[in-house]
Amino acid sequence: MEPIFETNPLIEKLPAHLKQYIKPQNYDDYTPINQAVWRYVMRKNVDYLSKVAHSSYVDGLRQTGIDIENIPNMYGMNRILKEIGWAAVAVDGFIPPNAFMEFQAYNVLVIACDIRQLEHIEYTPAPDIIHEGAGHAPIIANPEYAEYLRRFGEIGCKAISSAYDYEMYEAIRLLSILKEAENTPAEEILKAEERVTYLQNNAGELSEMAKIRNLHWWTVEYGLIGTPENPKIYGAGLLSSIGESEWCMTDHVQKIPYDITASEVNFDITKPQPQLFVTPDFAHLSLVLEEFANKMALRTGGLSGIKKLIDSKSLGTIELSTGLQISGIFTHVIEHEGKPIYVQTTGKTALAYREKELVGHGTDYHAEGFGSPIGKLKGINLAIEDMSPRDLRAYDIYEAEAVTLEFEGNITVKGEIITGSRNLQGEIILISFKNCTVTHGDSILFKPEWGVYDMAIGKKVVSAFSGPADIHSFNLVSHVSNTHTIKQEISESRKELESLYKKVREIRETHTSLETLSIILKSLTDKYSNDWLLSIEIAELAHKFHLEELLDNCLKHLEFLKQNRPEIAHLITNGLDLILEKEVV
C-alpha cells in the first residue's frame, strides 16, 4: 500500500494517533482559479509584507520552498523543510488542538491543503494552504521562533481540556467549513454562528487548553513583534490575510505589550481582532510560555490537577513523587486537608514509569479501572518511598507479610503482600496484595474477591496532564469528526471559466499565443462579467508585452466592475497597483 503523504524522516517517526489526521494533498485537484488566487495573495503579500513583516518572513519564503507563482507542493516543501529540521503534512481543515500542538512538538507543520474561494480571497475562517503554507512556514526558518513553536507544542499538547473545549472545536470547525463552502444557505451559516457565539458567551472558567489556545492565537496566529509604536507582523493569521494585515497596522487596532495576561483574553475567529499583542522579541515568547507552564497541572500536580482531569472526562495521567504514572479516565478523588488521599479511574487504565508502560500493568490487566491511596502513613513521618529496607521490615512492609496500612485521611489497606516493584533509584513504586480490603472510613473501596490489589506508592501528585504517559498503552487511533470539508461542485459554466484561467496561465508561462488574449477577454466579459481576477491577469500580460489596446480594454472592464461591485474595488486597485506602478485606473 502506497503511503498517503510525502516522506520525511520526521513524518515517519510520528505516532499512529497523529498519522490518522494526515491526508493526501492531491495536487492535481488545484484548479487554475485556485492557482490564480494563490498568486494574487502571494504577490500582494510579498509586496506589502516586505515592508511591515518581521525580517524573517521574506527570507523564510525562500528557505521553506514557498513559490509565489504556484501553490506549494508538499513533496517540495518537505524536501526543503528537512534542511531546517522540520516537516509538513496535509490535513482536513481544523484538527483537535491537542493533536495540532503535538504535531508541533515533533517539528511537523500541519497544513490544511484546501484553498479559499476567490470570493474569500482576503480572509477565510477556515485554515487553508495560504494561511498555513504562506503564513506559518516562512517564520519557522527563524531558529528562535522555530524552537518556541516546538516547545509550545510540547507543553500545549499536555494541557487539560474540558468538555466545553471539544464542543467549541466542533462548532468552529463546522462554521469554518460552511463559510468556505460554495452556496451554503444563509440560515445554515447563521445557525452555526449563533452556536459559536453562544459557546463563546458561556465558556465558564477557562480550561488550561482554552488559556494556552489564547496564547497560541495572540502569538503564533496574530502576533506582532517590536514595540506597540512600531510593530512588525509575524503571526500566520495576519501574514496570510491581505485585508487584516493592513487593518492591523492602523490605529483602529489597539497594540498591547505581550505578557501572560493574554491567556485570559478570548478571541473571535469570525471577526477582525480589536487588539493585538506585541512581543519585544521571539525570546520573550518563550519566557511567557514557561511562566504559563509553571501554573499548569503538568508542573503543579496536586488536588487541583486531579480535579481538572476529572472535569475533562478524558484520558489523562497523574505522576506521583516516585515517578509512577497512572493513565486513564479519572472519575473520583478523596481529599483530606486540601490534599488528595485516594484517586480512582474508571475503565481501561495503564501504569508507567518515565513514559514507559510497566510490564504486566497495561489496559488489559487494569481493564476495569485503578484506585490507590496517595500520601503518608498515619503517625509515621517517613513516607513509604523514603523507607530503607530496614524501615520496610520494621513496618512489616515485606513479602508474604499480612499487614494493615493506615494512611492519613482514614484510608486503610489490609492484606497480604505479594511483591513490590522499584524504580531506578531503588524506591518502591508499587506493592501488590492478595486477600486485600481497602476502606475509607465505613466505605469499601476494594474487596478481596476482586482479585489482586495493586497499590501505587507516592507521597504526592507532582504532575497531571492530558493524554497517556505511554502513547502505546491505548488505542488512540479513534478520532472521527462530525464534520468534513465540503468540496466545490464544478458546473459546466465553472469549467469553462477555469479553462480561460488555464489558457492565460499557459500564456504567461510560455510567452506564446499572445494574440488570443483579446479573444479570452471578450469571452470573459461576455459570459463572466462579474469575474475580476482574470481581467487583472490579462492586464498584467498586456502591460508586460505592450499590448496597449488590450490593456485599455481590461482597464475599462475593471473600472466598470469597480463601479458595479464596490465591495471588490480595493482588490482591483491593489492588483493593478502591483502591475501598473501605481497608475490610477
Side-chain angles (χ1 to χ4, degrees), residues 116-356:
R116 66 194 64 178
Q117 297 178 54
L118 174 56
E119 292 75 14
H120 300 155
I121 195 167
E122 285 191 282
Y123 170 78
T124 174
D128 75 337
I129 198 163
I130 293 178
H131 173 84
E132 315 287 2
H136 285 295
I139 300 297
I140 66 171
N142 180 293
E144 185 77 41
Y145 182 74
E147 172 56 18
Y148 167 71
L149 206 61
R150 184 201 69 77
R151 185 69 173 148
F152 197 106
E154 192 173 53
I155 293 170
C157 71
K158 300 293 187 183
I160 300 172
S161 300
S162 66
Y164 164 85
D165 294 326
Y166 189 76
E167 283 189 80
M168 177 58 82
Y169 155 70
E170 285 288 2
I172 289 176
R173 178 179 164 85
L174 175 61
L175 176 60
S176 69
I177 289 172
L178 293 178
K179 277 200 163 188
E180 187 55 33
E182 193 174 31
N183 301 322
T184 302
E187 58 270 22
E188 282 192 39
I189 293 178
L190 179 60
K191 184 179 178 182
E193 286 178 334
E194 288 175 346
R195 176 63 176 162
V196 169
T197 300
Y198 172 80
L199 289 172
Q200 286 176 331
N201 293 335
N202 293 274
E205 185 178 351
L206 296 180
S207 68
E208 286 184 350
M209 177 53 73
K211 290 181 179 181
I212 205 164
R213 281 186 67 233
N214 285 343
L215 290 183
H216 194 271
W217 182 264
W218 298 122
T219 60
V220 175
E221 297 293 351
Y222 277 80
L224 298 176
I225 188 168
T227 65
E229 297 73 32
N230 184 30
K232 298 290 185 182
I233 297 171
Y234 73 91
L238 297 173
L239 293 174
S240 59
S241 172
I242 56 179
E244 202 158 2
S245 60
E246 292 187 5
W247 169 255
C248 78
M249 286 302 186
T250 69
D251 291 337
H252 297 289
V253 179
Q254 184 183 8
K255 316 298 190 302
I256 305 169
Y258 178 65
D259 60 28
I260 197 171
T261 59
S263 66
E264 303 287 343
V265 181
N266 291 333
F267 57 88
D268 185 342
I269 197 170
T270 66
K271 299 174 183 176
Q273 308 309 308
Q275 78 282 307
L276 295 174
F277 292 86
V278 188
T279 183
D281 47 48
F282 288 140
H284 182 68
L285 298 179
S286 295
L287 291 177
V288 173
L289 176 61
E290 290 301 319
E291 184 181 357
F292 181 82
N294 286 336
K295 300 175 182 292
M296 289 173 61
L298 175 67
R299 295 185 180 173
T300 61
L303 179 63
S304 63
I306 298 171
K307 286 184 173 180
K308 287 178 181 179
L309 287 178
I310 292 172
D311 290 342
S312 77
K313 299 180 174 63
S314 300
L315 176 61
T317 298
I318 64 169
E319 181 174 329
L320 306 182
S321 47
T322 54
L324 181 71
Q325 296 163 315
I326 306 167
S327 299
I329 296 178
F330 288 83
T331 53
H332 185 55
V333 61
I334 300 173
E335 57 183 285
H336 175 70
E337 296 181 350
K339 296 178 182 178
I341 58 171
Y342 196 91
V343 291
Q344 180 71 53
T345 66
T346 299
K348 292 182 178 292
T349 303
L351 307 184
Y353 179 73
R354 291 189 173 178
E355 287 73 52
K356 185 176 181 181

Side-chain angles (χ1 to χ4, degrees), residues 115 127 133 230 236 292 382 446 472:
I115 187 167
N230 184 30
F292 181 82
L382 200 60
F446 192 90
H472 303 293

Side-chain angles (χ1 to χ4, degrees), residues 41-51 57-58 61 68:
V41 173
M42 290 306 298
R43 282 161 57 83
K44 170 64 178 169
N45 275 1
V46 171
D47 177 69
Y48 175 67
L49 294 174
S50 60
K51 308 178 187 72
Y57 175 74
V58 176
L61 286 174
I68 293 173

